[in-house]
Amino acid sequence: MSWLRRKFKAVKPNVNTSGMGKVTVSVVVCIVVVFSVVGVYWSSEPDPFDVVATAKEKAAAQGYLNNSKQLVVGYTTASTLHTIVQTLLDKPGGFITNDIMPPGLLMDNMPAWEFGVLVQSRDLARAFRKEFSRSQSQSTEDVNLKIAEPQFNFDTKSWALPSSESEYRRGNKELMGYLNRLAGETSNTSKAQFYARADNLSDWLSDVSTRLGSLSQRLSASVIDESAQQAETDENNRYVRTPWSKIDDVFYEARGTSWALVHILRAVEVDFFFTLQDKNALVSLRQIIRELEATQASIWSPMILNGSGFGLLANHSLVMASYVSRANTAIIDLRRLLEQG
């Protein structure tokens, strides 16, 4: 049997395990590099857009605008909502929140940004359906908006049929139908309406104020002193600290919220101009826009820093909380002017 063992030993293939290991490592490194580069590209936030110019482009494309005709009241705000949702779906990487494959699966900052934008889109779509398009509480709701608003509230994590993107696109299609009926020459029974009243604007701003107040609290809660929490015995007064792993998520959610609100408020200034002017509220609105614009400044750090108090490191969450809180305070003042001014 010894000769048989020697024979098999002679024909045994010489497998270069070290070479295969190097190839495997090289492939893994290449995949990681590719995913990292794509992830960085997909993490880039969309550029701001001119709400008036974009609205005019939409109207001109549909044949509703010429050199001598102005946009109808409400068209700029509705067009801005349509563009925001379209940007959410068509930006680099598309809608990333429901991705089930890398690199989207491994990303958290951009999905948080998307959620902030989506929340403001949902709130505005609800305001259109409930208030902006209706003359009074007993009036009939708009045929397009009653379909569009629920579509924007579809689950953000759905990747199968129907996917989140397909439902949001359907909502945007219905919103475009409302835009066409708002600007088009149609009969009184089918023409869409938009009522730029102070009470309508105040009701929507109430939702905005609630969202910003919550974000400001969550941002500020990232630096609560843990020792102070331990000394507190009253459960009703206990502070809730933002988890360390969620600090960047809250920051980017606030950044996405502010990005959407900057565009929406610019459109509101156009469509509610005379209402705001009558209430002496234009200055307050523009102050809110300036505060929110400051949240969109470039981030030069490769990560969101969370320095404590007056320590050596910056605290990006507290800076964001400052701008958001000041914008929220200005919104409260603006609502007071709309109701009493």
Side-chain angles (χ1 to χ4, degrees), residues 223-296:
V223 292
I224 292 176
D225 188 0
E226 293 184 351
S227 62
Q229 284 185 260
Q230 295 171 356
E232 181 61 65
T233 58
D234 186 358
E235 291 291 336
N236 294 326
N237 295 325
R238 187 181 296 274
Y239 291 107
V240 178
R241 182 182 176 90
T242 301
W244 180 84
S245 60
K246 297 295 182 181
I247 289 173
D248 57 338
D249 295 345
V250 177
F251 178 89
Y252 277 99
E253 181 184 340
R255 195 168 166 92
T257 295
S258 301
W259 182 89
L261 279 176
V262 165
H263 294 89
I264 295 171
L265 291 173
R266 287 173 179 166
V268 163
E269 181 179 356
V270 174
D271 288 326
F272 288 84
F273 180 83
F274 294 108
T275 301
L276 293 166
Q277 190 178 53
D278 181 63
K279 297 290 185 177
N280 296 316
L282 275 172
V283 175
S284 296
L285 178 67
R286 290 166 182 169
Q287 176 64 28
I288 298 168
I289 294 174
R290 283 194 296 270
E291 296 292 351
L292 293 175
E293 284 176 339
T295 66
Q296 303 302 300

Side-chain angles (χ1 to χ4, degrees), residues 90-165:
D90 296 337
K91 62 179 176 56
F95 189 69
I96 298 175
T97 301
N98 63 343
D99 283 5
I100 59 172
M101 294 292 291
L105 179 64
L106 306 175
M107 299 169 61
D108 59 347
N109 292 342
M110 182 50 67
W113 186 92
E114 291 175 343
F115 183 71
V117 174
L118 190 58
V119 167
Q120 291 306 315
S121 301
R122 290 170 172 174
D123 287 350
L124 184 58
R126 184 172 62 251
F128 264 98
R129 181 184 180 184
K130 290 176 55 183
E131 293 146 359
F132 293 159
S133 64
R134 304 176 67 179
S135 60
Q136 54 183 345
S137 60
Q138 300 300 319
S139 60
T140 305
E141 61 184 352
D142 187 88
V143 294
N144 290 118
L145 295 177
K146 71 178 182 180
I147 299 175
E149 190 258 339
Q151 296 304 120
F152 294 142
N153 285 275
F154 191 76
D155 181 21
T156 60
K157 295 290 187 179
S158 178
W159 58 271
L161 296 177
S163 65
S164 303
E165 294 95 326

